[in-house]
Amino acid sequence: MKKELLGVIDATTYHEDLEDLLAHRALAALPFAGRYRIIDFVLSNMVNSGIRSVAIFPKMQYRSLMDHLGSGKNWDLNRKRDGLFFFPSPSVDFDGKKIGSFENFAANLDFFYRSTQEYSLISNCYTVFNMNFRSILEWHSNSKCDITEIHQKDGGSMEMYLIKTSLLIKLIETRNETGYTCMKDAVNDIQSLYTICNYEYDGYAVMIDSIENYFSTSMNLLQSDVWKKLFIKEQPIFTKVKDEPPTKYIKGSVVKNAMIANGCLISGSVENSIISRGVKIGKGAVIKNCIIMQKCVIEDNCILDSVILDKDVKVEAGTQLTGTAGSPFVVRKGTQQGALMNS
């Protein structure tokens, strides 16, 4: 399959409902499950499916994404042939209007011309799932489809498409004549000249498109049955490896039903929460139903319930922050929260 399937990840999407978490990063680089980024899932799925050439089309704020992925070594994509490719895309066209992914692909059409893979898998960057694409390629070939769109069982489109690379190039080249700006336009055209097929995926999959959705999906990971559907031993989810010491639990600390990454210092109480790398939680602090991202500092006697702290946030001693499951309290990256600020 090494010479058959090309991976294409459209990382240009921006969801306004995630604005508080995307001020300093692309959606693809959004932290998830303590040690991962959202893009890790689709990228790992591609690698586990034997794909050895992956092109990523990011838009603005892609520095953190490039820092996370690097040369692609952690995904075995740092190769002399094929491997991982970045093609930063413009956010607007010359008329000031948003442009579709075909325009971004067209700016790098030489990449597709040079590709040796017969088929291309085009995917969004913000779906949390664990799928092997081998079966889809076989199904697509046997069904004699021109374009296969992947759907969730009893649900809508997952915005993932399987297509011959030659046909993809044709769609890109004729975009001005057809009016197609992206794959979605091509499959939704009722007058399409192509055979469009739907492949039904019955596994676990969630498309992260809002703060509420991000929060609920994260909290559901604390349920063992959900975790087992997403993190499968035979199909691991790869991420950037960091050499950090084990988390240290100070005498008197309490942890219940929580995911805690390496390098933390826990002196308080943590319950039903996801704690990323390098977080410090002070004595007497109570953390419930929270997502705490990397290198946050929560000082003594703080109370946090249904809160999302972005990276490098400091919460001063005695501060209380409270949200709800439907509307979590979000603190932006690198800011400071104090007891007087919230009084």
Side-chain angles (χ1 to χ4, degrees):
M1 188 172 175
K2 291 182 180 179
K3 295 297 182 181
E4 292 186 2
L5 197 53
L6 173 70
V8 180
I9 301 177
D10 180 4
T12 63
T13 305
Y14 178 87
H15 291 307
E16 291 185 359
D17 288 343
L18 281 162
E19 180 181 2
D20 286 338
L21 297 176
L22 301 183
H24 301 281
R25 62 171 68 90
L27 174 57
L30 181 63
F32 187 79
R35 61 191 296 262
Y36 300 93
R37 302 294 181 112
I38 292 290
I39 198 173
D40 290 343
F41 294 89
V42 64
L43 188 57
S44 297
N45 291 341
M46 288 182 173
V47 171
N48 290 333
S49 301
I51 296 175
R52 295 295 177 261
S53 182
V54 179
I56 300 177
F57 291 82
K59 195 166 59 175
M60 52 189 176
Q61 305 286 12
Y62 55 82
R63 183 195 60 79
S64 60
L65 178 61
M66 294 185 71
D67 176 69
H68 176 69
L69 296 177
S71 65
K73 180 179 179 181
N74 292 296
W75 295 264
D76 192 28
L77 289 173
N78 57 331
R79 296 166 171 267
K80 291 182 178 179
R81 293 184 180 180
D82 294 329
L84 184 67
F85 300 86
F86 277 89
F87 298 110
S89 307
S91 58
V92 294
D93 65 13
F94 296 112
D95 297 322
K97 299 177 181 178
K98 291 183 178 179
I99 60 178
S101 57
F102 281 176
E103 199 69 32
N104 298 327
F105 296 167
N108 302 279
L109 202 49
D110 284 350
F111 169 77
F112 294 98
Y113 287 146
R114 293 195 303 268
S115 297
T116 59
Q117 292 79 9
E118 183 178 2
Y119 294 91
S120 292
L121 177 71
I122 305 167
S123 174
N124 68 73
C125 66
Y126 54 90
T127 300
V128 175
F129 68 127
N130 194 322
M131 179 191 301
N132 193 308
F133 297 116
R134 287 190 180 97
S135 58
I136 302 174
L137 178 58
E138 182 178 354
W139 184 91
H140 175 87
S141 301
N142 293 337
S143 301
K144 301 185 185 304
C145 304
D146 291 320
I147 304 173
T148 291
E149 182 178 29
I150 304 174
H151 283 242
Q152 287 182 274
K153 186 176 182 179
D154 302 322
S157 170
M158 293 178 63
E159 299 177 12
M160 300 178 192
Y161 311 91
L162 191 58
I163 184 175
K164 274 196 172 183
T165 303
S166 58
L167 179 54
L168 174 60
I169 291 173
K170 181 179 178 180
L171 291 177
I172 296 170
E173 291 178 331
T174 61
R175 65 193 183 282
N176 293 327
E177 290 78 20
T178 62
Y180 298 159
T181 64
C182 59
M183 287 301 304
K184 186 176 181 179
D185 291 344
V187 300
N188 288 342
D189 182 5
I190 59 175
Q191 297 181 329
S192 174
L193 301 176
Y194 305 108
T195 302
I196 312 298
C197 302
N198 292 335
Y199 179 92
E200 192 174 83
Y201 174 65
D202 60 2
Y204 179 86
V206 180
M207 300 172 76
I208 305 298
D209 56 10
S210 68
I211 292 288
E212 294 74 21
N213 177 259
Y214 172 74
F215 185 75
S216 62
T217 303
S218 299
M219 291 296 101
N220 286 339
L221 290 179
L222 297 173
Q223 302 174 27
S224 60
D225 58 330
V226 174
W227 177 269
K228 291 177 182 177
K229 291 177 183 177
L230 187 57
F231 295 95
I232 303 170
K233 183 178 180 180
E234 296 76 20
Q235 297 175 193
I237 303 299
F238 303 103
T239 191
K240 182 178 181 179
V241 175
K242 293 187 177 181
D243 297 322
E244 291 178 308
T247 288
K248 184 176 182 180
Y249 299 90
I250 304 302
K251 184 177 180 180
S253 62
V254 178
V255 176
K256 298 179 181 178
N257 192 39
M259 293 166 49
I260 299 180
N262 290 346
C264 297
L265 179 63
I266 311 296
S267 301
S269 173
V270 179
E271 183 176 352
N272 298 325
S273 296
I274 298 174
I275 312 297
S276 296
R277 298 176 173 118
V279 171
K280 296 181 180 180
I281 298 176
K283 185 177 180 181
V286 177
I287 313 300
K288 290 185 177 181
N289 312 310
C290 292
I291 301 172
I292 311 299
M293 296 188 193
Q294 190 174 343
K295 294 183 179 179
C296 287
V297 176
I298 302 170
E299 296 184 341
D300 296 349
N301 301 315
C302 293
I303 299 177
L304 277 62
D305 190 351
S306 301
V307 172
I308 301 175
L309 297 187
D310 206 336
K311 291 176 62 177
D312 300 313
V313 169
K314 181 179 180 180
V315 182
E316 295 180 351
T319 301
Q320 295 188 28
L321 303 176
T322 304
T324 64
S327 182
F329 188 100
V330 181
V331 182
R332 290 197 175 196
K333 178 182 177 181
T335 57
Q336 183 169 316
Q337 291 286 310
L340 294 177
M341 299 177 190
N342 298 280
S343 60

